[in-house]
Each structure stands twice: as C-alpha cells, then as structure tokens.
Amino acid sequence: MIVDCAIYRDGHRKDGPEDFSDALEQARAAGGFVWIGLHEPSEKEFSLVTEEFALHPLAVEDALKAHQRPKLEMYDDSLFAVLKPVVYEAESDRVSTGEVMVFLGDHFVVTVRHGEGSPLGAVRRRLEHEPEMLGRGPTAVLYAIADAVVDHYLDVATELQTDLEELEAEVFSPDGGGSRRTASRIYDFKRQILEFRRATGPLALPLNRLAGSGPFGTAVPYVDEQARPFFRDVSDHLTRVNESVEGLDRLVSDILSAHLAQMSVRQNDDMRKISAWAAMAAVPTMIAGIYGMNFDHMPELRWVWSYPAVILVMAALEVALYRLFKHRGWL
C-alpha cells in the first residue's frame, strides 16, 4: 500500500496529486522531486510504480520478495539500495530486523518498507523540518535513511552490551553458572548477535561506495558528490557498530567456553566425590567379602574378639580414608 506521496521543491513539501502517475512529471516541471513511500506492496500495486518510474525488473523483484542482504545496485535509470533496520525488543531481549528498499532517480525517491521498526516516518518528518537538507534532493533522503538506520544500530549494540554483562554475571555467579538454562541462553544470545551482524556487516561496502572511499572512488549515479562527507560520517558510525558487534561475538564465545569449562570442573568434582565414597564403601565390602568365604581354616575365625576387631578395623580405615579425601578436597 502507498503510505505517503509528496512533491518537494526547494526543501518544502507540496502534496502530490491523487494519481501519483502525474507526480514525476510535476516534480520535473517544478525542479523538485517526488517521494513515494510504500509498505509491503503487492505485485499489482507496485506494477504501477514500476511502469511510471521505469524501475529495473531485477530490483523490483528484490523489493517485492524482500529477505535481501544490504546492498547497492546501479541501473541505467535508477539506483537501488537495501538497508536492514534493527529493532531491540526489551520485553523478550530479542533482536528483529526489517527491510527498507530505496529507489533513487534524478527526480524521484521510492521507498519500500517490509517489517516493523522502520525509521521512514520519522525520517520524513525530520527532513520536512530541515528544508536546507531536504533541498539537496533525493540524495538527502538516502543519506537521512542510512543515518537513521545506523544510529539505531548503536542503540541496539548498547542494549546487547547490557544483556551480555548480565549474562556474564550469571555465568560467573556461584550458583547461576550451573543452571541448565544458562547454555541455552548463551546460545540464544549468540543467535541474536548473528542476526544483528547480518544487518550491519554487509552494509559497510555500500556505504563505502557512497562515501567514495577506499577502492570505490568513482562517483555514484544519482548521488550528489557533495554528499560524500555525510556518507563518510555514516560509514564511520557503522565501523564503530561492526567493531562492537565483533567484540560482542568474541565475548559471548569466551563466555560459552568458560561456562563449558565450569561445567566440566563441576562434573570432575562430582566424579571425585563419587569415587571417594565408592572407595570408602569398598573397604568394608572387601573385608566382609573375605570373611564371608566358606573356608574352614581362616585366621581369627574362631576367636571370640574377631567380630569387634573387624568392625574396629573397618571404622579406623573409614576414618583414615575420610580424612585423606577431605584433606585433598575430594569431599
């Protein structure tokens, strides 16, 4: 469905026509651009936009099916960018991702949103209060969307860092590390980081191309070259996010290793205790087994004090073994 359609000229909004097929013609005539926002459009709904703005069929297919990696594609009549906004759900401590597709042309911007948590509404409102920025044309829209998405990445990274500290405290607590749920929580947290990483990692290359840095120093069509410093700033923020994500991933792997090591130590302690008690039980069993044999000629077999003596020997050996194992920390 079409969420919003407006024409912008000199940084100010002019409501678009009811039939958006005339919007591009009016935008070109006025020297501005048209911005159409769609939310999970059907193929029939999007076919009208495709015909009017001459969008490339491969990009249209990606926009309709979603589930794309962040990327930047250049076609003859438009530029196609995919970004993945990330939402942190505080109630469940989980990370979910959406998708924003941006078609950029000489006098138009078409944004397609999939999922929740998209910053497009807030971006549009912010730009409409910054006419100087909005007056830079479609490039300003692409920059503002990328900036909003990456800035929210920083917030999500902070929330995940807090969750990781809580998980770390649980693992290294005297009793919490032995919980059966701890390992599953660590694994689930690692899945959340992986989901986050799938959104942030691939975006580095498209932003480098837009910033004109590294090996991608050539100009990107439909993007104002004067916007390169702005995209470079977004790229720097994304670098911070990726470094934070890598640090979180390493730490959670270390925490999982530490938890498994703790479980192994606890199991060894349990086995030592079981072995110690088994050794203590073996002594009277051995003595009783020897004197339980049905031989006629055995020492002290007919002696009056045999029974108390054997019991005393058993008790003395048990006490000696107990003190020995206790001294070594086995009990």
Side-chain angles (χ1 to χ4, degrees):
M1 58 176 291
I2 297 178
V3 178
D4 200 351
C5 175
I7 297 174
Y8 296 92
R9 179 184 179 187
D10 297 329
H12 296 282
R13 177 184 177 117
K14 309 292 183 182
D15 288 335
E18 294 183 359
D19 185 2
F20 72 88
S21 61
D22 299 328
L24 180 59
E25 182 178 348
Q26 293 185 18
R28 284 174 175 166
F33 69 96
V34 59
W35 181 359
I36 298 177
L38 301 100
H39 176 234
E40 298 182 359
S42 64
E43 184 175 354
K44 181 179 180 181
E45 291 172 336
F46 203 59
S47 62
L48 301 176
V49 180
T50 302
E51 295 175 2
E52 180 63 27
F53 297 99
L55 304 179
H56 197 279
L58 291 177
V60 171
E61 181 180 1
D62 290 343
L64 289 174
K65 291 184 177 180
H67 304 293
Q68 304 295 317
R69 298 174 75 245
K71 62 180 180 179
L72 183 69
E73 301 286 350
M74 291 175 285
Y75 299 102
D76 293 336
D77 298 323
S78 63
L79 185 72
F80 179 63
V82 178
L83 300 95
K84 295 181 75 69
V86 176
V87 176
Y88 176 82
E89 300 173 1
E91 296 80 7
S92 58
D93 294 336
R94 300 188 69 85
V95 169
S96 60
T97 59
E99 289 186 52
V100 173
M101 285 78 168
V102 183
F103 293 88
L104 206 70
D106 54 352
H107 291 279
F108 69 87
V109 178
V110 177
T111 54
V112 182
R113 174 169 63 92
H114 290 270
E116 302 299 328
S118 171
L120 293 182
V123 168
R124 188 187 287 264
R125 289 190 296 271
R126 180 168 66 86
L127 283 176
E128 289 178 353
H129 287 85
E130 298 179 5
E132 183 178 354
M133 174 66 73
L134 193 56
R136 296 179 180 271
T139 301
V141 177
L142 179 60
Y143 158 72
I145 294 173
D147 184 57
V149 169
V150 173
D151 281 349
H152 196 60
Y153 286 166
L154 292 170
D155 297 334
V156 174
T158 301
E159 295 288 349
L160 290 176
Q161 180 66 43
T162 302
D163 289 347
L164 181 61
E165 291 174 357
E166 294 175 357
L167 185 61
E168 187 177 19
E170 177 183 342
V171 169
F172 291 104
S173 64
D175 301 324
S179 174
R180 295 181 178 180
R181 293 184 60 253
T182 303
S184 62
R185 283 196 60 195
I186 296 173
Y187 180 75
D188 184 66
F189 188 81
K190 195 170 182 64
R191 290 291 301 268
Q192 303 307 311
I193 294 177
L194 178 60
E195 184 73 14
F196 191 25
R197 197 169 192 169
R198 286 173 178 168
T200 63
L203 186 57
L205 183 59
L207 284 180
N208 283 336
R209 297 178 68 179
L210 291 169
S213 58
F216 308 102
T218 58
V220 178
Y222 307 109
V223 175
D224 189 353
E225 291 189 17
Q226 295 181 356
R228 284 186 175 186
F230 296 93
F231 285 111
R232 196 174 301 124
D233 180 68
V234 178
S235 180
D236 290 341
H237 290 175
L238 181 64
T239 300
R240 288 174 50 195
V241 172
N242 285 328
E243 290 175 351
S244 178
V245 172
E246 290 177 5
L248 289 172
D249 189 53
R250 287 194 300 268
L251 282 174
V252 75
S253 297
D254 293 342
I255 289 174
L256 179 59
S257 299
H259 173 68
L260 295 177
Q262 284 182 329
M263 296 297 295
S264 178
V265 169
R266 287 189 176 93
Q267 289 176 353
N268 289 337
D269 288 341
D270 293 340
M271 290 301 299
R272 285 192 300 181
K273 291 179 180 179
I274 293 172
S275 299
W277 286 111
M280 293 173 62
V283 171
T285 302
M286 180 188 67
I287 296 175
I290 292 174
Y291 280 92
M293 294 184 293
N294 297 319
F295 293 116
D296 291 333
H297 304 285
M298 294 183 66
E300 296 85 26
L301 191 62
R302 303 295 180 182
W303 187 33
V304 177
W305 298 99
S306 296
Y307 178 75
V310 169
I311 295 298
L312 182 62
V313 170
M314 289 183 181
L317 290 175
E318 290 294 304
V319 171
L321 288 175
Y322 180 83
R323 294 185 64 180
L324 176 63
F325 293 147
K326 192 72 173 178
H327 178 71
R328 294 187 176 181
W330 288 22
L331 291 176

